Amino acid sequence: MVYQDCDIGSAKPNKATLAEYPHHMVNIANLNSVFTVSDFCSESHNLIKEIHSKDKLPIFVGGSMMYFKSLYEGMHRLPERDKDYRNELEILKVKNKPNFLYELLKNIDPTYAKKINKNDDIRIIRALEVYKLTGKQLSKILSEEVKNNLSNKYEVFQFAILKEREKLHKNIELRLKRMFEMGLIEEVRSLQNNYNISQDHPIRRSVNYKQAFSYINDEYGEEVAFEKALFATRQLAKRQTTWLRSWKDFKSIKLNETKEIDNDFKKIISLL
């Protein structure tokens, strides 16, 4: 939702909803750039301070578990992306044997290489990039103590809604049908025409957008795009549920049932 003009595929609230219920971190980034986990954490800390200064309660809502985990537990300071070096690595990847970049990483940082799949180009390129820019192995950086840990600075209340699998899958399919009816394909075609979106931009790998980009680039038809997006969304929901089940200190609640958390909210309000 952070990206401008990515409305349908991200299920962004419509303008009327946003006007009635103001949200933060919506439409704050341009697709010609990349909004990273680090950007999210930095922006979040600033927002928390700003909202607290107004005697208000900041509430984070969504399903971006990796982002929430990075915010809650803190994250290591890593350098920004180096587009030129990434292009060099992509050229090396094409000119050499399969898994050439992985072999490079094994020589530079064997500890980190053992932890990732040899075909995981995203993590491989990031590890090589970090080493080039800092001279330090990513495995060593990640072993260091993190700073700016949200869980140590504030009392954080966490709630999660876990739906039944059958009901969740039905809701996913209905929502995806609405996206296609609302013009997901046309939205993505407009994005491709109006922005200079790099091939490694996260939006091209995002569920719904990835399949729509493939459709307009004639990789497969619209029906296949829908089925692939449906499968990808269900897989994403499964991963999010797995994240949640391994999460600590959250209270599971049922949709539209607030009695279970009334006491928690009374406690939260008393802290303001």
Side-chain angles (χ1 to χ4, degrees), residues 80-174:
E80 294 185 3
R81 293 154 59 105
D82 185 327
K83 188 174 182 178
D84 291 337
Y85 183 61
R86 283 173 171 263
N87 289 338
E88 290 178 22
L89 293 176
E90 290 290 348
I91 293 171
L92 287 174
K93 175 185 170 183
V94 172
K95 288 186 175 180
N96 290 277
K97 295 179 180 180
N99 304 124
F100 175 78
L101 296 184
Y102 182 73
E103 293 301 321
L104 278 182
L105 180 61
K106 280 176 64 177
N107 291 329
I108 291 172
D109 189 352
T111 301
Y112 186 72
K114 287 181 182 179
K115 296 180 179 179
I116 62 175
N117 188 289
K118 64 181 180 180
N119 297 313
D120 192 343
D121 288 340
I122 295 174
R123 288 182 172 83
I124 293 168
I125 289 174
R126 183 55 173 158
L128 291 170
E129 178 182 52
V130 168
Y131 183 78
K132 176 183 181 292
L133 296 174
T134 67
K136 297 177 67 175
Q137 297 173 327
L138 183 56
S139 60
K140 289 188 176 180
I141 295 176
L142 296 179
S143 68
E144 297 169 356
E145 185 178 355
V146 297
K147 298 180 179 179
N148 219 10
N149 188 322
L150 193 71
S151 59
N152 288 338
K153 295 177 66 176
Y154 305 103
E155 184 166 7
V156 181
F157 293 79
Q158 301 176 82
F159 307 96
I161 299 172
L162 295 175
K163 290 185 178 181
E164 296 175 5
R165 183 173 179 272
E166 185 177 342
K167 185 179 293 186
L168 178 62
H169 280 199
K170 183 178 180 180
N171 288 350
I172 287 172
E173 185 170 2
L174 289 173

Side-chain angles (χ1 to χ4, degrees), residues 7 19 73 160 172 176 180 196 199 219 224 232 260 262:
D7 302 329
E73 297 183 353
I172 287 172
L176 187 61
F180 272 76
N196 180 26
Q199 290 301 314
E219 294 178 31
V224 174
E260 297 180 25
D262 280 349

